[in-house]
Amino acid sequence: MEKLIDESVQGAALLLDKSIKNSRKLYIESYGCQMNFSDSEIVASILASEGFNTTDRLEEADLVLVNTCSIREKAELNVRKRLEKFNAIKKNKPHLKVGVLGCMAERLKSQLLEEEKIVDMVVGPDAYKDLPNLVREIDAGRNAVNVLLSKEETYGDIAPIRLHSNGVTAFVSITRGCDNMCTFCVVPFTRGRERSRDPQSIVQEVKELWNKGFKEVTLLGQNVDSYLWYGGGLKKDFDKATEIQKVTAVDFSDLLSLVAEALPKMRIRFSTSNPQDMTLKVVHTMAAYRNICNHIHLPVQSGSDRILKAMNRLHTRVEYMTLIENIRNIIPNCGISQDIIAGFPTETEEDHQDTLSLMDHVKYDFGFMFTYSERPGTMAARKLEDDVPEAVKKRRLEEIIALQRRHSLYRTKKYLGKIEEVLIENSSKKSDAQWMGRTSANTVVVFPKEGYVIGDFVNVKIMDCTSATLLGNAVGLSENN
Ligand code: SAH
Ligand code: F3S
């Protein structure tokens, strides 16, 4: 009797194992920057060839992957909280495996396995092609770690599986890593050296998206203006390139032209631009093509020259203002957005006032604003004391956010009475009877659905606004359809 039970249990285990192998369910959750969301689509593609189908339902997952962010301490704490939730699920589902991907994986390495018992696998941003092997390891009951960084990997040969897609807008990564070493930033440590992706593979991916009905792509990199393709490898090694490689090299402006010309009706966006690397050539290229959107995300971080220097941002306040002036001269209605950090070490009240006055000068359309969070291993953490009290950081941040809200309203009000071309992306979050889309300058527009469908370019008359949203009525399809 005892033997019989044993055999049937074994049989059931085998059956279970086989059915799991044939159609295992992968649940991926992404945190942080757009690049992480884009990377998760690469991961889904790599694991699809191993028989994993993605699911939106955590409860049916066999493998849970969390693509993590380390940019601020809070981002990491959120992930750790989420891991507790997976732990609770695993209690009723012992075969569930959990992997941590992305920046936290890279930063904490195998330490994560010790600190978070639920974690079976730790995979850094350059090691995703090793996932099939790593999954076999965890299937065999062993923990698996690969956090090797690469000087070449761009995943240019992987066709991403679009996750949570509206079928209209997509991310396309063009560079990986960052060589800039801003002193507050953990990204150069977690994502490694900067590499550019072969322009032909970028154009090919955008073409495939167009053929599937997509209407807008956002070209992604930590620092897109630094894009440089001369046959692969690190940008810093460009000096060693052959004469031919130097002559045929493709910079970011060239890449924009290539994509804009290959797909003249595809809307093209890009993010993020670092002011120190952005050239006017790029701005002129934006102006030359109707399908390149008039929006630049141009993080400034601080308006104080002293703080910019301490952050290793290699431009001054005046240089930044001159760049803004040039952008506005070349593209008069260009949307401009910011990232600002409140309370960087040694920041005085005067430095803070410099940030507010710079904001007043630019009047950004919108921005992402945070208090400084010390990240272990960065130059700022090693050399500077995190000396601005938390309450002061918070108060300065509130002032920055309040001012930004006023500027956003100033910008949205300028649209009143105008007709804007909007690409419909989704139903409005607030009302199912309304569409949500964006203008070229990246401002959100909400309007009644009428007979239009997702993916239509619609001319919308702007009737009302809040600081974040334009409200209007469609007046017809635009000629771009
Ligand atoms: N070039 C990147 C920037 C990455 S980090 C990109 O593509 O977005 C995004 C923003 O996070 C930065 O611009 C900065 O404003 C903010 N940030 C980075 N490190 C931070 C830190 N230690 N504390 C607070 N904010 C930080
Ligand atoms: Fe970070 Fe500066 Fe690069 S903010 S991502 S080190 S441009």
Side-chain angles (χ1 to χ4, degrees), residues 70 94 113 150 188 222 251 268 271 308 387 476:
S70 289
L113 293 174
S150 160
Q222 299 300 336
D251 66 15
I268 299 158
S271 186
L308 285 171
D387 59 355

Side-chain angles (χ1 to χ4, degrees), residues 98-356:
V98 175
V100 174
L101 314 177
C103 289
M104 253 177 107
E106 193 62 51
R107 194 177 86 71
L108 296 164
K109 305 185 170 55
S110 52
Q111 190 187 327
L112 252 181
L113 293 174
E114 287 147 36
E115 290 174 3
E116 304 286 348
K117 292 288 173 243
I118 177 80
V119 176
D120 303 290
M121 179 168 75
V122 177
V123 192
D126 285 348
Y128 297 146
K129 282 190 185 155
D130 195 27
L131 272 166
N133 297 322
L134 300 169
V135 167
R136 276 191 278 281
E137 280 292 298
I138 58 174
D139 279 346
R142 292 184 286 270
N143 286 336
V145 179
N146 187 343
V147 288
L148 283 178
L149 286 172
S150 160
K151 290 179 183 166
E152 285 94 28
E153 186 59 84
T154 61
Y155 300 110
D157 53 335
I158 305 280
I161 289 184
R162 305 293 162 185
L163 300 171
H164 313 290
S165 173
N166 55 10
V168 174
T169 57
F171 297 129
V172 174
S173 89
I174 64 162
T175 70
R176 297 187 72 81
C178 186
D179 283 352
N180 271 353
M181 298 304 266
C182 303
T183 56
F184 52 80
C185 184
V186 79
V187 170
F189 302 93
T190 58
R191 288 189 160 267
R193 300 296 300 275
E194 184 186 289
R195 292 138 270 167
S196 296
R197 175 179 168 190
D198 182 345
Q200 289 315 320
S201 82
I202 296 170
V203 171
Q204 188 53 36
E205 187 175 332
V206 180
K207 276 189 182 155
E208 281 161 17
L209 286 164
W210 178 259
N211 292 338
K212 287 185 187 142
F214 284 80
K215 301 285 175 66
E216 182 183 296
V217 290
T218 304
L219 306 180
L220 288 184
Q222 299 300 336
N223 182 15
V224 284
D225 298 280
S226 191
Y227 178 90
L228 184 69
W229 174 262
Y230 60 97
L234 296 183
K235 187 181 178 184
K236 297 263 153 94
D237 291 340
F238 185 55
D239 293 346
K240 295 181 211 147
T242 64
E243 272 320 298
I244 300 246
Q245 282 176 318
K246 284 187 182 167
V247 171
T248 57
V250 175
D251 66 15
F252 182 55
S253 157
D254 303 330
L255 177 72
L256 278 177
S257 304
L258 274 177
V259 180
E261 273 170 38
L263 287 310
K265 289 203 158 188
M266 181 74 108
R267 256 191 181 184
I268 299 158
R269 299 188 184 281
F270 54 86
S271 186
T272 300
S273 301
N274 187 317
Q276 74 204 42
D277 295 306
M278 179 152 211
T279 61
L280 288 188
K281 189 178 164 199
V282 167
V283 186
H284 283 295
T285 304
M286 291 174 70
Y289 294 94
R290 186 189 183 277
N291 58 330
I292 303 180
C293 289
N294 291 339
H295 169 235
I296 304 175
H297 185 57
L298 201 61
V300 69
Q301 318 298 359
S302 166
S304 148
D305 276 337
R306 198 180 61 80
I307 296 294
L308 285 171
K309 193 153 186 234
M311 288 175 162
N312 195 33
R313 302 287 285 189
L314 303 180
H315 60 82
T316 61
R317 170 189 173 93
V318 167
E319 282 165 344
Y320 184 88
M321 286 176 170
T322 308
L323 177 59
I324 297 278
E325 204 177 302
N326 284 326
I327 292 169
R328 294 237 155 97
N329 284 336
I330 300 166
I331 310 173
N333 41 16
C334 191
I336 300 179
S337 50
Q338 47 84 352
D339 291 346
I340 289 177
I341 297 175
F344 184 80
T346 76
E347 186 187 76
T348 62
E349 224 39 56
E350 200 186 331
D351 295 319
H352 171 59
Q353 289 303 325
D354 283 347
T355 298
L356 296 176

Side-chain angles (χ1 to χ4, degrees), residues 71-73 183-185 311 340-347 369-376 378-388 390 393-394 397:
I71 201 81
R72 286 167 286 270
E73 191 184 15
T183 56
F184 52 80
C185 184
M311 288 175 162
I340 289 177
I341 297 175
F344 184 80
T346 76
E347 186 187 76
M369 299 144 284
F370 293 96
T371 53
Y372 172 71
S373 166
E374 185 177 86
R375 306 314 291 134
T378 57
M379 204 44 108
R382 278 161 38 204
K383 300 269 178 219
L384 297 168
E385 192 194 334
D386 185 5
D387 59 355
V388 179
E390 216 46 46
K393 285 184 190 171
K394 283 218 172 92
L397 177 67

Side-chain angles (χ1 to χ4, degrees), residues 356-477:
L356 296 176
S357 71
L358 180 122
M359 290 177 73
D360 261 329
H361 182 84
V362 180
K363 297 195 174 55
Y364 294 98
D365 290 75
F366 62 93
F368 301 102
M369 299 144 284
F370 293 96
T371 53
Y372 172 71
S373 166
E374 185 177 86
R375 306 314 291 134
T378 57
M379 204 44 108
R382 278 161 38 204
K383 300 269 178 219
L384 297 168
E385 192 194 334
D386 185 5
D387 59 355
V388 179
E390 216 46 46
V392 174
K393 285 184 190 171
K394 283 218 172 92
R395 194 254 305 149
R396 289 180 188 165
L397 177 67
E398 277 161 20
E399 288 174 14
I400 290 168
I401 291 174
L403 184 58
Q404 181 53 56
R405 201 166 288 142
R406 287 215 293 282
H407 292 155
S408 294
L409 188 62
Y410 166 83
R411 291 285 168 204
T412 53
K413 274 187 169 166
K414 287 198 172 237
Y415 284 98
L416 293 180
K418 293 201 173 136
I419 293 180
E420 284 291 317
E421 185 185 72
V422 177
L423 170 62
I424 302 181
E425 290 178 26
N426 256 318
S427 285
S428 150
K429 276 192 206 119
K430 287 195 185 139
S431 156
D432 212 35
Q434 310 250 338
W435 288 128
M436 168 271 167
R438 280 164 216 272
T439 66
S440 170
N442 213 19
T443 309
V444 172
V445 184
V446 169
F447 60 98
K449 283 187 175 174
E450 299 178 30
Y452 300 101
V453 294
I454 289 185
D456 278 348
F457 285 96
V458 180
N459 287 326
V460 179
K461 178 149 192 197
I462 308 304
M463 312 299 289
D464 201 357
C465 67
T466 67
S467 62
T469 311
L470 304 175
L471 310 164
N473 289 309
V475 294
L477 284 173

